[in-house]
Amino acid sequence: GAGVSQTPSNKVTEKGKYVELRCDPISGHTALYWYRQSLGQGPEFLIYFQGTGAADDSGLPNDRFFAVRPEGSVSTLKIQRTERGDSAVYLCASSRDQGPGELFFGEGSRLTVL
Amino acid sequence: RKEVEQDPGPFNVPEGATVAFNCTYSNSASQSFFWYRQDCRKEPKLLMSVYSSGNEDGRFTAQLNRASQYISLLIRDSKLSDSATYLCVVMLAGNTGKLIFGQGTTLQVKP
């Protein structure tokens, strides 16, 4: 499909484990965003990339969270030593470029930490 | 104080009703504003941008009041299919790209 693709759609893991979440943005979109959303809350900004570089990572909650986009397309969000509080839906979005354009979201990766 | 605040609702209205949501933002340097719609267990999708002069798209009207730092969304002649969560979104000036989402306001339109 032509939309933003996220894998896995669901991930259940145990406290303390390492997790990787993948996002494949819309082809040609230079800006890529990661948000996380807990039940009853709006999406919380984590990080966004313009090309390969992280233009703003101010939303990453602590150093257990890291994201890469080595070739300016696919991005991976990495969470080390997962905690129960990390449980949420992790949403990826892309847009044609940075600026006040429309964000196109993927369906999200639902992470459950037991 | 949250950067973007919304009344979470839910707003329960009958079909055909007019309903309005407000949203306030804390940073006066905010420059771009949007309403996104999110259906249950789905991803958010852009509903409309909000312009300083106000704008309308069919049954939906968005308005911005910079002096009071609030944004509104008016839905006329509500349909059952309008039932969703409406997210107010703000982007700061000089910080192009980072969009801040409100908690969302849930609307339930009843037959």
Side-chain angles (χ1 to χ4, degrees), chain A residues 33 35 37 48 58 98 103 106, chain B residues 36 38 43 96-99:
Chain A
Y33 306 76
Y35 286 81
Q37 187 172 26
Y48 94 88
S58 61
Q98 70 178 37
L103 293 191
Chain B
Y36 275 69
Q38 186 171 26
E43 71 275 21
T96 55
K98 179 180 176 180
L99 298 186

Side-chain angles (χ1 to χ4, degrees), chain A:
Chain A
V4 177
S5 175
Q6 291 189 247
T7 56
S9 54
N10 275 287
K11 176 70 177 179
V12 180
T13 191
E14 293 179 343
K15 180 171 177 276
K17 298 290 188 183
Y18 171 79
V19 165
E20 287 191 355
L21 306 175
R22 175 190 166 107
C23 173
D24 199 342
I26 292 172
S27 178
H29 280 193
T30 59
L32 184 146
Y33 306 76
W34 284 99
Y35 286 81
R36 72 175 175 182
Q37 187 172 26
S38 300
L39 194 63
Q41 301 299 313
E44 174 194 8
F45 173 82
L46 297 177
I47 184 171
Y48 94 88
F49 291 87
Q50 182 61 31
T52 60
D56 187 331
D57 65 357
S58 61
L60 294 177
N62 51 58
D63 62 5
R64 296 187 299 106
F65 288 75
F66 190 69
V68 295
R69 194 186 186 200
E71 297 176 359
S73 178
V74 171
S75 176
T76 304
L77 178 66
K78 308 180 180 193
I79 311 174
Q80 298 177 319
R81 304 183 304 280
T82 51
E83 299 177 357
R84 292 195 180 89
D86 298 336
S87 297
V89 176
Y90 288 80
L91 293 165
C92 177
S94 69
S95 69
R96 210 175 305 271
D97 50 34
Q98 70 178 37
E102 180 177 359
L103 293 191
F104 295 87
F105 282 87
E107 293 185 344
S109 292
R110 182 176 297 277
L111 174 66
T112 303
V113 182
L114 301 177

Side-chain angles (χ1 to χ4, degrees), chain B residues 21-41:
Chain B
F21 310 134
N22 287 332
C23 160
T24 58
Y25 59 95
S26 60
N27 193 319
S28 59
S30 300
Q31 70 170 18
S32 300
F33 310 90
F34 311 89
W35 284 100
Y36 275 69
R37 171 190 168 132
Q38 186 171 26
D39 292 310
C40 188
R41 293 187 170 269

Side-chain angles (χ1 to χ4, degrees), chain B residues 7-109:
Chain B
D7 178 349
F11 284 59
N12 294 299
V13 303
E15 269 188 292
T18 295
V19 61
F21 310 134
N22 287 332
C23 160
T24 58
Y25 59 95
S26 60
N27 193 319
S28 59
S30 300
Q31 70 170 18
S32 300
F33 310 90
F34 311 89
W35 284 100
Y36 275 69
R37 171 190 168 132
Q38 186 171 26
D39 292 310
C40 188
R41 293 187 170 269
K42 296 288 190 182
E43 71 275 21
K45 293 183 179 178
L46 179 66
L47 177 67
M48 60 198 301
S49 301
V50 185
Y51 302 121
S52 296
S53 55
N55 48 299
E56 189 174 305
D57 183 0
R59 297 181 294 108
F60 297 82
T61 300
Q63 292 197 311
L64 168 64
N65 184 319
R66 285 190 183 272
S68 302
Q69 294 180 207
Y70 83 75
I71 308 145
S72 64
L73 178 67
L74 182 79
I75 306 175
R76 290 182 299 280
D77 187 23
S78 300
K79 311 291 185 191
L80 295 176
S81 58
D82 293 335
S83 297
T85 296
Y86 292 84
L87 298 160
C88 176
V89 186
V90 169
M91 189 178 78
L92 298 178
N95 192 343
T96 55
K98 179 180 176 180
L99 298 186
I100 306 298
F101 285 73
Q103 177 182 2
T105 297
T106 299
L107 172 66
Q108 294 275 9
V109 181

